[in-house]
Amino acid sequence: MRSFLILILIFLAAELIASEEECSSSEEIVHTTKKVTTTKKPTPKPTKKSTPKPTKKTTTKKPTTKKPTKTTKKRIPTTTKRVPKCQKGWKGFKRAKGLWCIKVQKSKVNRNVAQAQCKKLGATLTGIDSVAENRFLQAQGVVILKSLGLQVGTMWIGLVRKPACYSLATKNSPNCIGSNGFQWTDGVTTRKNTMTWRIIQPDNHQGRQKCAYLQIGRITKYGIRPGTIDDIECDHPWNPANLDVQKQQGFACGKWAK
């Protein structure tokens, strides 16, 4: 009986062990199958990104600030001072108030006609303000004389006797002696030391010599020197009978440069 029970117990124990082994092996199989049967999650299909429609940019207009308008300054034309010049054929000489232009004309006329001809040129019979002007008149006078085949002559200038000195009674008056009794008529010349008189002149012959002319040419046997002045009648005519030293062969005009 005892041996029978022991056999039963051994049998049961063996079954228990076998069943445990089966369980453990099944667990392992399940565990492994779990590992193996780890199904990958289905990768979701890439959904198309819905590109948002471009929204119109609401451009906020900046306040238009008006650019300051450039005030263009009016260009004032720069006027350079024009330097006065003498016309062609006129010689310029510096005077206190500007440039004085002188021109010598060839003409056998009396003083009044000579003055009228100067006016036509916008000028007047000129005075002599310097040695340089006297020399210029002399040189121009020589040109005139050569063209006429002469060696001596005279030229009208802007010099007259003062009315207070017309009479012979005033001849020896301090205010009428020599250059004191004369005045330049061009309104420009004032110097008296440029009145270089001929020997024993001015003499106001017969109280009629109210004007004066300039001697031109060469020194003569009469002692007449070129560049000296002699008093003469204003209406003194050109006369072939006169001595060459008394014959007026021209006149000198003067005016301001422009």
Side-chain angles (χ1 to χ4, degrees):
M1 202 54 189
R2 267 188 183 177
S3 59
F4 181 74
L5 288 168
I6 291 166
L7 288 169
I8 292 167
L9 288 169
I10 292 167
F11 179 76
L12 289 169
E15 280 194 2
L16 282 170
I17 291 165
S19 64
E20 282 179 4
E21 285 177 356
E22 283 180 3
C23 286
S24 62
S25 62
S26 64
E27 282 178 3
E28 284 178 5
I29 290 164
V30 170
H31 183 69
T32 54
T33 52
K34 278 182 182 179
K35 284 183 180 179
V36 173
T37 59
T38 52
T39 57
K40 291 181 182 179
K41 289 181 182 179
T43 54
K45 288 181 181 180
T47 56
K48 288 182 181 179
K49 290 181 182 179
S50 57
T51 54
K53 290 180 181 180
T55 55
K56 289 182 181 179
K57 289 182 181 179
T58 55
T59 53
T60 53
K61 288 183 180 180
K62 291 180 181 179
T64 55
T65 54
K66 288 183 180 179
K67 290 181 180 179
T69 54
K70 290 181 181 179
T71 53
T72 53
K73 291 181 181 179
K74 289 182 179 179
R75 288 186 180 179
I76 301 167
T78 53
T79 52
T80 52
K81 286 185 178 179
R82 185 177 171 275
V83 180
K85 291 182 179 180
C86 293
Q87 292 174 311
K88 189 177 180 180
W90 296 71
K91 176 71 174 176
F93 294 91
K94 286 184 180 180
R95 296 285 185 98
K97 293 182 180 180
L99 191 65
W100 185 248
C101 305
I102 297 176
K103 184 176 184 178
V104 174
Q105 297 284 86
K106 179 171 72 172
S107 182
K108 300 175 181 180
V109 294
N110 63 34
R111 196 221 185 246
N112 295 330
V113 175
Q115 174 63 12
Q117 290 189 13
C118 281
K119 281 188 176 181
K120 286 180 181 179
L121 299 173
T124 184
L125 284 172
T126 186
I128 301 171
D129 192 60
S130 64
V131 174
E133 290 182 14
N134 193 317
R135 286 176 179 169
F136 172 73
L137 296 178
Q138 288 304 306
Q140 293 297 302
V142 169
V143 173
I144 292 172
L145 292 174
K146 281 184 177 180
S147 68
L148 298 170
L150 300 172
Q151 292 184 340
V152 291
T154 64
M155 179 188 301
W156 289 113
I157 55 175
L159 184 65
V160 296
R161 191 181 297 275
K162 293 177 181 177
C165 302
Y166 284 170
S167 173
L168 282 173
T170 61
K171 185 175 181 179
N172 296 321
S173 169
N175 294 329
C176 296
I177 292 175
S179 297
N180 291 337
F182 282 79
Q183 61 188 9
W184 300 107
T185 60
D186 57 11
V188 179
T189 312
T190 56
R191 296 176 65 180
K192 289 185 178 180
N193 62 351
T194 53
M195 298 180 192
T196 309
W197 295 97
R198 227 179 93 185
I199 298 170
I200 319 173
Q201 299 299 328
D203 61 353
N204 196 13
H205 181 65
Q206 296 179 354
R208 293 166 45 198
Q209 296 180 328
K210 300 174 183 178
C211 291
Y213 51 32
L214 183 70
Q215 302 287 165
I216 55 175
R218 63 175 180 81
I219 299 173
T220 68
K221 61 182 180 181
Y222 303 103
I224 297 172
R225 290 180 176 273
T228 56
I229 301 170
D230 189 7
D231 58 341
I232 195 72
E233 299 89 347
C234 296
D235 57 352
H236 179 71
W238 188 91
N239 191 336
N242 292 340
L243 295 173
D244 287 344
V245 293
Q246 294 178 322
K247 290 176 182 176
Q248 61 273 27
Q249 308 295 353
F251 55 90
C253 302
K255 63 180 179 180
W256 289 117
K258 290 183 180 179

